[in-house]
Structures are given as structure tokens and as C-alpha cells.
Amino acid sequence: MAGNAKVRHRDQGVRSALAGVAMTAVLGAALVAPPAASADQLDDGQWGRSAMGVDELNRVGTGKGITIALIDSPLDSSVPKLKGRVASTTTECLAPGGGRQKSTARDKSADHATSMASLIVGSGKGGGRRQGVAGIAPEATLRHYAVMFPLVNSSDPLGCGLSDPSIDNLSQATARAMRQAIKDGAKVISVSLSMSYTEQLVDALLEAYRAGVVRPFAGSGEVTVPTVANHMGRCLSAEPTAP
């Protein structure tokens, strides 16, 4: 059931790297617009871009005209590399005191989604003397859906309460976010979370497949994308090879 969704929030660097590889692989098919002359100049020294073939990919396209959905934790869109890069951010998760959680944050709870958003649409601009992250698709439209928050009085440390803020419904919340992303015109949906694959989530995956949406997943090594999703052809899962 959705309430039994298991979250394994491992090392942020490992998850971000895995999802970055998956995103690079699938965006090759989605980035069809030529790079614009007005695109932000990216900082030098980002060897990872060359290692993953991002520079070559950007000669073909930079994501202009493509909507990418990020389903993740809260997001800090105020960091220099993301200023003006996030088209929308929302959540359906309930807050302990009533109402909905805030889909944006400026503390550690936003680290993961902020890193993922930067890998996708980051401008390469950093704060002060620090260098920022340059995204794979810097001209894409990014829409963010927050589904992972600290839970109170729950055996699950992180998740999303839809009917009760203390009961985790992460899988159902992710399914809802995927359906909304499809309605919002997303052609790529990035999900870098681990959870149980409930009937609602598999149905949402099938709906995304029928809509022609590409879905990069980064797994934990403990849960894999179910057979029905793997055989659909547009679901790419990246898994760690060592603990």
C-alpha cells in the first residue's frame, strides 16, 4: 500500500550523479532545438560535462521548448545557478499544523532537489567566487513537484502525507505528481527517489508511457523499476554498483 512506501535517502552525491547520467542519456532524444546565441555563458572547469558528453549534446540542443518535470524534495530556487530557471513549484503534501507543506526551502531539506534542478537547468553561475553547476538542458522549462518531507510520529523518516501528515503516501503522491506533470506538458519526468511500486504508481508510469514521456529514475540498489515499467522502453533506471 502507499502508506508502506519505503524511502532510502542515500548519499546525495551518489544519487545526483546517477540521475545525472540517466538524464544525459534520455535528453539526447528530447533536446531538439539548436542552442541560442543568448544562452548564459557557462563557467569553465566543469570536467563532468565533457565526461558525460553534455558539451556535445548541447551542440545539438539546449532544451529550448522542452518541459522537464522534477519530482523530488523541496527546492531552493533562490540559489544563483537557478535564478529565473524554475517555471513553477508545487506540492500536495500536508503540513503537521494544517494546510500544505511549502514546496520551497532554504535549508538542508532542499539540498537534493536543488542539486537535481541544477544538473538539469543550472546556469553555471555561482555565489561569490564559487562556481555553480551548469545544467544539461539550460534552456528547458523546469516544473518542480515536491513529494518528500520529514514526517512526524511516523516510522518513515521522509515521505508525503496526503490525508494525514503523519502517514506516508510517497508512492501515491509521486503518481499524482506524474499525472499533473503530463497535464503540464512535461516531455521528461525526473524521479530520483526510491519507493514501493504501488498500483497507482505503475498506472501513472503507463499513462506517461502512452503520452510519450521519458522518465529517468535513480534507484537505491534495493528497489528496482518493475518489469512492466522496464519493458515499456522509455523508463531508464540508474543503479549504484557498490554500497
Side-chain angles (χ1 to χ4, degrees):
M1 298 297 292
N4 295 325
K6 297 180 180 179
V7 183
R8 298 291 183 266
H9 202 58
R10 285 190 174 186
D11 179 76
Q12 179 179 322
V14 174
R15 283 189 177 278
S16 297
L18 284 169
V21 171
M23 186 67 69
T24 303
V26 297
L27 282 179
L31 305 186
V32 295
S38 60
D40 292 349
Q41 183 66 36
L42 302 178
D43 292 346
D44 294 330
Q46 300 198 53
W47 61 268
R49 291 176 58 81
S50 296
M52 292 193 294
V54 177
D55 293 327
E56 182 178 354
L57 175 64
N58 284 162
R59 295 189 189 100
V60 178
T62 54
K64 188 174 183 179
I66 302 296
T67 296
I68 300 175
L70 173 63
I71 301 175
D72 212 288
S73 67
L75 173 73
D76 184 359
S77 58
S78 70
V79 296
K81 56 198 170 186
L82 289 180
K83 282 189 176 180
R85 300 284 171 143
V86 182
S88 64
T89 175
T90 186
T91 186
E92 291 191 33
C93 303
L94 298 179
R100 293 185 181 182
Q101 297 272 14
K102 292 183 178 181
S103 61
T104 60
R106 294 190 178 186
D107 55 22
K108 290 184 177 180
S109 68
D111 285 354
H112 191 266
T114 303
S115 294
M116 289 305 306
S118 300
L119 284 172
I120 300 169
V121 296
S123 66
K125 296 178 180 179
R129 295 183 178 180
R130 294 187 303 174
Q131 183 173 324
V133 175
I136 296 168
E139 291 192 307
T141 297
L142 183 69
R143 297 193 182 279
H144 167 245
Y145 308 83
V147 298
M148 189 174 64
F149 299 86
L151 296 176
V152 296
N153 302 322
S154 173
S155 58
D156 297 296
L158 296 169
C160 174
L162 293 174
S163 57
D164 184 323
S166 66
I167 299 177
D168 181 26
N169 300 114
L170 177 61
S171 184
Q172 184 179 350
T174 301
R176 286 189 185 183
M178 288 184 67
R179 288 193 171 96
Q180 185 59 52
I182 295 168
K183 291 180 181 178
D184 292 340
K187 294 302 181 184
V188 178
I189 299 177
S190 173
V191 183
S192 185
L193 306 171
S194 295
M195 67 198 77
S196 297
Y197 282 85
T198 61
E199 183 177 349
Q200 296 99 322
L201 184 56
V202 172
D203 286 345
L205 284 166
L206 287 168
E207 185 175 332
Y209 167 72
R210 295 185 187 105
V213 177
V214 180
R215 301 161 309 285
F217 277 74
S220 68
E222 300 169 358
V223 181
T224 58
V225 179
T227 301
V228 64
N230 269 328
H231 283 250
M232 290 189 298
R234 294 194 187 95
C235 189
L236 178 62
S237 176
E239 297 279 342
T241 56

